[in-house]
């Protein structure tokens, strides 16, 4: 059996380990693996080449993806899905493993519905995919963000400053909440549960009164401050300090805090730094297991599924699960927000 494998969407620690796991299991079962380069772009352009275990043996700890990735979406191209199907045929692929987030798995689902033999592996640092307890790469991103928040807290304490740290997470606040809470941040703002800029100001004023000279506030990239209730407005109903177009959440909050409280404040956007790092031990182990399980599903003829982390194990669940979103739930939020102070 010839199995194709591709990575789609933003890169994430553990992608190379997934490929390593898939190639190992495939070769052990007598199958071969073809690397599709740059996600769905590689299937549209037939950019593919055979890979072996020895190509990936040493890459278990490498960040990024040796296969390359892209945000190319065949569903947005005229006859894109048909071209992909034709190329699956002409490359002689008997199965395809698509490693990606909801966008990539959405294409995988459509291909599967069209009769292609597809298996998904859910991937996103954001951890916002349903059907899997966690997505690989998430805990590595959390570890990295936590270390950087701690380091910002240290310099903040030295200078008696308020440090605002913005952390990736397009729609969900998982990384911010976990990393911020693990680093002992004084408050974390996430898109799922609204906390106003005025709540931040209130907390900082209280801390100032209590003689605390330094604070750390973590804000998720996905938080929207537009038209937030409670922000002071002028007589024309404009926010007194408006968020400038394209301005980061961190820089907006820092400006607001300095203006309202006089506290010296610095803003940092962690951005892609938490994404390109080397996978931690958990992500390495789960990634090689996920890759191997996906290849085993292909060998066993179990298609239209995605391999998901459930508890300490891996299960095959319907591919459609990977296209649903998972947001921070109330119980998790409540259990961690009690530490905001
Ligand atoms: O892959 C998820 C993610 O890292 C989000 O957290 C972030 O909003 C987005 O990707 C950034 O995408 P890009 O790398 O295309 O700028």
């Amino acid at each position: 059996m010839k199995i194709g494998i591709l990575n789609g969407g933003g890169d994430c620690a553990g992608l190379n380990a997934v490929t390593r796991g898939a190639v190992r299991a495939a070769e052990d079962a007598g199958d071969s693996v073809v690397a599709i380069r740059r996600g769905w772009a590689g299937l549209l352009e037939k950019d593919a080449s055979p890979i072996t275990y020895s190509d990936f043996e040493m890459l278990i700890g490498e960040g990024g993806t040796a296969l390359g990735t892209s945000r190319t979406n065949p569903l947005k191209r005229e006859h894109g899905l048909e071209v992909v199907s034709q190329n699956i045929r002409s490359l002689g692929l008997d199965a395809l493993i698509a490693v990606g987030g909801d966008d990539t798995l959405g294409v995988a689902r459509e291909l599967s519905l069209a009769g292609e033999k597809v298996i998904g592996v859910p991937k996103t640092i954001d951890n916002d995919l349903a059907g899997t307890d966690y997505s690989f790469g998430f805990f590595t991103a959390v570890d990295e963000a936590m270390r950087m928040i701690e380091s910002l807290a240290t310099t903040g304490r030295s200078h008696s400053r308020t440090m605002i740290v913005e952390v990736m997470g397009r729609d969900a606040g998982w990384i911010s909440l976990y990393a911020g809470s693990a680093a002992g941040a004084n408050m974390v703002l996430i898109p799922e549960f609204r906390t106003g800029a005025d709540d931040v100001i209130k907390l900082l004023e209280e801390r100032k009164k209590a003689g605390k000279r330094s604070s750390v506030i973590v804000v998720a990239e996905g938080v929207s401050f537009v038209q937030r209730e409670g922000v002071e407005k002028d007589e024309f109903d404009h926010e007194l300090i408006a968020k400038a177009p394209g301005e980061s959440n961190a820089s907006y909050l820092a400006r607001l805090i300095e203006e309202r409280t006089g506290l010296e404040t610095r803003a940092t956007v962690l951005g892609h730094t938490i994404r390109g790092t080397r996978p931690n031990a958990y992500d390495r182990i789960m990634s090689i297991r996920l890759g191997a399980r996906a290849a085993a599903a292909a060998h066993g003829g179990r298609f239209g599924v995605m391999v998901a982390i459930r508890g300490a194990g891996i299960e095959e669940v319907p591919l459609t699960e990977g296209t649903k979103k998972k947001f921070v739930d109330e119980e998790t939020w409540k259990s961690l927000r009690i530490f905001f102070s």
Side-chain angles (χ1 to χ4, degrees):
M1 170 178 244
K2 206 189 216 183
I3 304 171
I5 183 165
L6 65 80
N7 297 160
D11 68 343
C12 155
L15 278 167
N16 290 318
V18 171
T19 307
R20 183 181 187 267
V23 184
R24 170 88 268 168
E27 288 182 358
D28 285 352
D31 297 329
S32 62
V33 179
V34 172
I36 315 292
R37 310 289 170 177
R38 297 171 293 111
W40 296 114
L43 263 187
L44 287 167
E45 298 162 19
K46 273 214 302 189
D47 184 1
S49 50
I51 49 173
T52 63
Y53 183 65
S54 74
D55 298 326
F56 280 80
E57 192 180 2
M58 303 305 288
L59 300 190
I60 187 164
E62 288 298 312
T65 163
L67 301 186
T69 186
S70 69
R71 295 199 187 272
T72 301
N73 182 356
L75 302 175
K76 295 270 168 69
R77 307 285 167 98
E78 211 177 335
H79 307 301
L81 219 53
E82 289 91 321
V83 174
V84 165
S85 284
Q86 274 162 23
N87 289 340
I88 287 176
R89 258 359 106 255
S90 66
L91 288 166
L93 302 180
D94 302 298
L96 176 68
I97 298 174
V99 188
D102 53 341
D103 294 337
T104 305
L105 296 180
V107 179
R109 181 195 57 197
E110 292 306 310
L111 275 176
S112 175
L113 289 173
E116 298 299 341
K117 295 172 174 167
V118 188
I119 291 146
V121 182
K123 170 240 59 158
T124 168
I125 60 163
D126 291 356
N127 195 41
D128 60 353
L129 290 178
T132 187
D133 288 355
Y134 294 104
S135 44
F136 73 86
F138 166 64
F139 280 114
T140 298
V142 168
D143 284 349
E144 195 70 8
M146 177 194 72
R147 272 191 289 272
M148 287 196 255
I149 295 165
E150 276 180 340
S151 141
L152 290 163
T154 301
T155 169
R157 272 193 302 278
S158 308
H159 289 261
S160 301
R161 284 173 175 158
T162 300
M163 307 301 284
I164 311 296
V165 194
E166 181 173 326
V167 179
M168 262 194 180
R170 200 195 331 243
D171 304 308
W174 290 107
I175 313 175
S176 299
L177 185 61
Y178 273 43
S181 299
N186 302 102
M187 189 178 260
V188 183
L189 283 72
I190 62 172
E192 290 91 335
F193 297 93
R194 294 293 196 151
T195 312
D198 41 342
D199 296 318
V200 179
I201 307 276
K202 194 166 156 251
L203 175 77
L204 293 175
E205 296 283 17
E206 280 166 15
R207 287 180 57 77
K208 194 159 89 173
K209 269 195 211 120
K212 313 251 181 184
R213 293 167 181 276
S214 172
S215 308
V216 178
I217 307 293
V218 174
V219 57
E221 170 195 18
V223 167
S224 166
F225 287 106
V226 181
Q227 299 191 352
R228 178 172 298 288
E229 279 172 36
V231 171
E232 264 174 47
K233 306 262 178 81
D234 66 15
E235 289 172 5
F236 293 96
D237 213 27
H238 295 133
E239 286 183 7
L240 274 178
I241 297 182
K243 194 170 168 223
E247 185 178 25
S248 67
N249 280 341
S251 127
Y252 169 65
L253 270 182
R255 280 198 302 121
L256 194 70
I257 290 163
E258 286 207 328
E259 184 139 325
R260 295 270 196 88
T261 66
L263 290 165
E264 192 182 0
T265 307
R266 292 289 186 271
T268 305
V269 178
L270 299 186
H272 292 78
T273 55
I274 63 168
R275 217 169 75 180
T277 187
R278 295 172 72 80
N280 65 14
Y282 174 83
D283 282 330
R284 292 181 196 201
I285 298 299
M286 291 323 266
S287 296
I288 54 175
R289 289 180 65 191
L290 285 163
R293 183 64 178 266
H299 190 79
R302 300 186 298 278
F303 301 111
V305 296
M306 94 179 177
V307 290
I309 298 174
R310 293 281 172 95
I314 289 170
E315 290 177 17
E316 292 166 22
V317 303
L319 193 45
T320 45
E321 290 296 301
T323 57
K324 297 179 197 156
K325 285 280 197 182
K326 177 182 67 191
F327 295 103
V328 173
D329 55 283
E330 199 160 353
E331 193 191 332
T332 306
W333 171 245
K334 280 186 173 161
S335 70
L336 292 173
R337 68 169 294 188
I338 59 169
F339 298 99
F340 299 172
S341 61

